[in-house]
Amino acid sequence: MKDSKLSFETLALKSTEPFAGEVSPVSTPLYFSTTYHRNKDGSYDSGFVYSRTSNPNRLVLEKACAKLEGGHRGFAFASGMAGIEAVLKTLQTGEHIIIPDDAYFAVFKLIKEVFNRWGLSYTQVDMTELEQVENAINEKTKMIWLESPSNPMLKITDINAVTKIARDNNILVAVDNTWPTPVVQNPIKMGADIVVHSTTKYFGGHSDVLGGVVVINKNDKLEKHLEDIQNLGGGVLSPFDSWLTARGLQTLFLRVKAQSENAFKLAEFLNENSNIEKVFYPGLPSHKGHEVVKKQMHNGFGAMLSVTVKGGEQKAIEISNKLQLFTTATSLGGVESLIEHRKSVEGPESNTPDNLLRISVGLENIDDLIFDWQKALE
Ligand SMILES: *Cc1c(COP(=O)(O)O)cnc(C)c1O
């Protein structure tokens, strides 16, 4: 139909249709469209139908994450917790999961408050002690949940050893790899079946986008389950958030490497300070898990550390408030350094020592960061 024959309302819609000509962008454009052209025979040229099912920006991110983790397929969700919930939903009523005694607090609460009501039982173990893992296995056990380094105690689990135990017992292993990121640690290459990330942290990297990604090794049944949970449950990452996260991913390697170097130097400094009771950082030779991390981490030991402060809870809070370059806020993995009194964040049910501060080391100059601590500890 000729444009001159169309009314204003119709033209307003027709004239904003996408470019028909050749456009060859270098950077992936944002695709907000929720729906896609369908051919007369019902097929779809692009493979895209509706954006709950898939979206180009989400697909770019999912494919990139699968590649970086050495996995078969990625699934992006609206938050790290939505991704973790999706993994837990692949289990069924009557089954059993083994989780670390210091699992990320929201993960523990999700299992305890929500999945337990649906008949998923769980056992908490100190996963650094392999015999505790073996003893917790029963005939209903279908998954082992693993976090290494753990939050906020930076405990190290031997991923190879746990995946071996799991394989011998036909159990899947899911690893929350948010803290180390695939720059530092690749659990799938060590035998894990599933890796989850809160991309809110290092992938996004700028504290401005919430998201989560699940990457799986080749496993048809698991893939089908996750595909259904993502598509039918609908807790997907939006196009804009996928775009921001994919943009963050492009600099992930450089950021994590530099932040880990900063964290290492800060850990060494704090380890020598008489006002600090203990530094929890796996890069320190004195750390209990140091020999294991030397085998399972590369490009540094991550950019997260915790310290306990001499003089108790009040002293710890006082010091965190004196720091000027470490913003007092929860979360981690952004370019800016953050500090938090973890017990206040976790609430009364928390097992975290009350004099513990958790630090996310950013990209500031390390001499400035150390000087800031020097002054705060004086
Ligand atoms: C932040 C975090 C989560 C939760 O992710 P959200 O994006 O906040 O939902 C899960 N695991 C770890 C280790 C985290 O740090």
Side-chain angles (χ1 to χ4, degrees):
M1 210 181 288
K2 275 219 172 87
D3 281 358
S4 57
K5 288 227 183 317
L6 296 173
S7 59
F8 184 94
E9 305 93 291
T10 309
L11 260 183
L13 301 181
K14 281 292 164 200
S15 60
T16 52
E17 281 189 332
F19 285 108
E22 269 299 311
V23 187
S24 321
V26 169
S27 146
T28 309
L30 246 168
Y31 294 89
F32 280 127
S33 184
T34 53
T35 187
Y36 297 84
H37 285 278
R38 186 172 179 159
N39 299 327
K40 290 204 167 66
D41 66 356
S43 64
Y44 290 87
D45 286 340
S46 64
F48 294 102
V49 177
Y50 181 66
S51 63
R52 169 155 44 72
T53 311
S54 67
N55 159 276
N57 295 107
R58 204 172 90 214
L59 193 62
V60 163
L61 178 67
E62 290 174 335
K63 285 192 162 170
C65 289
K67 277 206 182 119
L68 296 178
E69 281 292 5
H72 165 66
R73 173 138 179 220
F75 299 88
F77 292 89
S79 69
M81 289 310 300
I84 289 166
E85 189 200 34
V87 171
L88 294 172
K89 277 181 181 162
T90 64
L91 297 168
Q92 61 191 51
T93 299
E95 292 184 339
H96 173 255
I97 182 171
I98 300 172
I99 60 174
D101 55 7
D102 61 345
Y104 180 70
F105 203 59
V107 171
F108 168 64
K109 280 189 98 166
L110 178 67
I111 292 170
K112 177 167 171 271
E113 309 292 339
V114 180
F115 281 93
N116 198 229
R117 282 200 289 114
W118 288 72
L120 179 72
S121 61
Y122 63 94
T123 305
Q124 288 182 280
V125 301
D126 179 349
M127 219 161 269
T128 65
E129 303 291 338
L130 295 172
E131 59 279 20
Q132 286 198 27
V133 178
E134 280 180 307
N135 292 337
I137 294 173
N138 64 43
E139 69 280 7
K140 301 280 186 204
T141 309
K142 294 292 179 224
M143 190 177 283
I144 297 175
W145 193 267
L146 191 161
E147 256 177 69
S148 182
S150 71
N151 178 7
M153 303 304 288
L154 282 294
K155 288 203 294 196
I156 297 299
T157 296
D158 186 333
I159 300 177
N160 270 310
V162 171
T163 58
K164 180 166 185 325
I165 294 171
R167 217 174 305 124
D168 292 346
N169 290 278
N170 239 330
I171 297 171
L172 295 182
V173 174
V175 179
D176 186 333
N177 207 34
T178 300
W179 279 29
T181 82
V183 174
V184 169
Q185 183 170 283
N186 295 105
I188 287 179
K189 292 180 184 161
M190 289 181 259
D193 303 278
I194 305 168
V195 163
V196 301
H197 283 282
S198 165
T199 56
T200 315
K201 314 296 168 51
Y202 290 99
F203 276 69
H206 296 75
S207 307
D208 55 9
V209 56
L210 198 70
V213 161
V214 176
V215 175
I216 59 167
N217 211 347
K218 181 111 182 88
N219 177 329
D220 293 344
K221 190 167 148 223
L222 187 63
E223 184 173 357
K224 173 77 170 72
H225 274 164
L226 281 166
E227 205 175 272
D228 286 346
I229 292 162
Q230 186 192 40
N231 179 31
L232 304 174
V236 295
L237 194 65
S238 76
F240 185 53
D241 290 354
S242 299
W243 183 85
L244 273 175
T245 306
R247 180 190 171 101
L249 190 149
Q250 294 176 323
T251 54
L252 181 70
F253 187 86
L254 288 176
R255 283 186 284 107
V256 170
K257 234 175 145 238
Q259 287 175 246
S260 298
E261 272 167 35
N262 276 356
F264 188 88
K265 288 179 185 153
L266 183 63
E268 281 187 322
F269 166 79
L270 292 171
N271 204 32
E272 297 296 319
N273 191 284
S274 57
N275 289 316
I276 297 292
E277 189 180 84
K278 192 165 171 149
V279 178
F280 301 85
Y281 185 67
L284 294 175
S286 56
H287 189 285
K288 191 180 157 211
H290 187 63
E291 289 310 313
V292 175
V293 283
K294 277 203 297 192
K295 283 186 293 168
Q296 69 187 28
M297 286 180 153
H298 38 268
N299 294 317
F301 301 96
M304 292 297 297
L305 64 139
S306 294
V307 293
T308 46
V309 173
K310 280 186 193 159
E313 178 168 10
Q314 275 322 307
K315 192 76 192 165
I317 293 172
E318 194 183 303
I319 285 171
S320 77
N321 287 333
K322 273 193 194 157
L323 291 163
Q324 291 180 356
L325 300 179
F326 292 76
T327 304
T328 311
T330 193
S331 200
L332 58 114
V335 289
E336 65 287 298
S337 291
L338 299 180
I339 190 159
E340 70 174 353
H341 179 246
R342 188 65 192 164
K343 195 170 180 111
S344 314
V345 174
E346 292 181 344
E349 281 176 71
S350 158
N351 292 323
T352 299
D354 57 15
N355 61 337
L356 180 137
L357 298 172
R358 194 187 79 178
I359 306 162
S360 171
V361 183
L363 277 177
E364 301 87 349
N365 184 290
I366 186 59
D367 297 334
D368 295 338
L369 294 181
I370 288 175
F371 186 62
D372 199 27
W373 271 95
Q374 228 161 10
K375 279 186 305 164
L377 288 168
E378 260 166 20

